Structure formats: C-alpha cells, structure tokens
Amino acid sequence: MLQFFTTDVKMRFYLKKPKSKTPSKIEMKVCYNSITTKIICKGIKVLPELWSQSHQRAFVSNILSVLDNHNNTIVNNIINDYETKFNEFLGLISANPQLSVTLHAELKKHFDMGRKPIHKQLQVNIFEEMRR
C-alpha cells in the first residue's frame, strides 16, 4: 500500500489560451505522482490581460469598468467554488485512502459536475442593468 499525503496533491488555475486577445477558458490542473489532470471550469472565461497568474484570480479593481469588475467577481466566485470542491475531494480521499490509487479517475468523477454556462436571460438582465 502506498502512502498518501494530501500535501503532495497540487492544484492551480491556468488560462487555456493565455496569449489570446479574446476571453480564455480557465482550467484547473491537479498534479499528483507526476501526473497532471486538467479540468476545464465550464462556463467561465476571462480576458488574459485581466488574469493574475500569481494569484490565480481575475483582477477586480476600481480602475476597471463596472462590467469587467462584475464579470471578474463572478469568475472569482466560481474559482472559490472549485477550490471548495477540491478540498472536499481531498477530505474524501483522506477518509478513504484506497481511493488514492485511482486519484485522477476519482478526481474526474468528482468534478464531473462542471458548471453550466450563465443562462442567457441572466446575461440579458445584466446588460439591461448596465444601460440604466
């Protein structure tokens, strides 16, 4: 039986296309035993120039427009949800060490929930609010 330490499992967020001029999807990468698993955070994108790789968050600042701040706040909240879900996953693996053998498969099952894209009605309401 292999030893398993939750500190050996590393998780980071990256942009799928960091040099793009258009909004890029955000990926969560989990590394364990030199194997990387990519999980695309479904439904969220951010402009690469508004992304901080060191903080793994979208910028929110009073220098940015209201719309950029609003969108980046949504992105950061979803990233927080993914981090919470990842911590729950580590708790599950800690409670059931036999699952650590198939960690990457279990990880994909656990995160299969994905994110549904923001409903179009919600997008319309945001733009109507911005016009007022």
Side-chain angles (χ1 to χ4, degrees), residues 7-26:
T7 55
D8 293 342
V9 182
K10 305 291 183 205
M11 183 245 336
R12 292 195 50 93
F13 293 95
Y14 295 92
L15 294 182
K16 187 168 177 93
K17 297 179 183 175
K19 296 185 180 187
S20 174
K21 298 290 182 195
T22 60
S24 176
K25 291 181 180 180
I26 297 174

Side-chain angles (χ1 to χ4, degrees), residues 61-121:
S61 166
N62 55 2
I63 297 173
L64 299 174
S65 70
V66 173
L67 184 60
D68 283 340
N69 277 332
H70 177 75
N71 289 336
N72 292 351
T73 301
I74 291 171
V75 167
N76 291 340
N77 288 340
I78 292 173
I79 287 173
N80 290 338
D81 291 346
Y82 272 87
E83 284 182 334
T84 301
K85 189 122 178 105
F86 178 73
N87 289 331
E88 290 171 3
F89 173 74
L90 287 181
L92 174 72
I93 296 294
S94 296
N96 303 299
Q98 71 276 9
L99 294 177
S100 66
V101 176
T102 59
L103 182 102
H104 293 282
E106 293 297 324
L107 184 68
K108 285 190 175 189
K109 270 195 261 178
H110 193 73
F111 277 92
D112 194 29
M113 60 108 186
R115 280 273 169 209
K116 293 180 181 176
I118 297 174
H119 192 274
K120 289 184 181 183
Q121 183 65 35

Side-chain angles (χ1 to χ4, degrees), residues 1-46:
M1 181 167 212
L2 296 172
Q3 285 186 313
F4 175 76
F5 300 101
T6 56
T7 55
D8 293 342
V9 182
K10 305 291 183 205
M11 183 245 336
R12 292 195 50 93
F13 293 95
Y14 295 92
L15 294 182
K16 187 168 177 93
K17 297 179 183 175
K19 296 185 180 187
S20 174
K21 298 290 182 195
T22 60
S24 176
K25 291 181 180 180
I26 297 174
E27 292 181 336
M28 182 176 89
K29 293 183 182 179
V30 178
C31 295
Y32 177 68
N33 282 347
S34 69
I35 298 173
T36 302
T37 302
K38 292 181 187 177
I39 296 169
I40 294 178
C41 302
K42 296 177 183 174
I44 58 170
K45 294 181 179 183
V46 67

Side-chain angles (χ1 to χ4, degrees), residues 47-66:
L47 289 167
E49 63 264 17
L50 298 178
W51 177 256
S52 169
Q53 187 57 48
S54 60
H55 293 102
Q56 301 178 57
R57 294 286 184 274
F59 291 119
V60 176
S61 166
N62 55 2
I63 297 173
L64 299 174
S65 70
V66 173

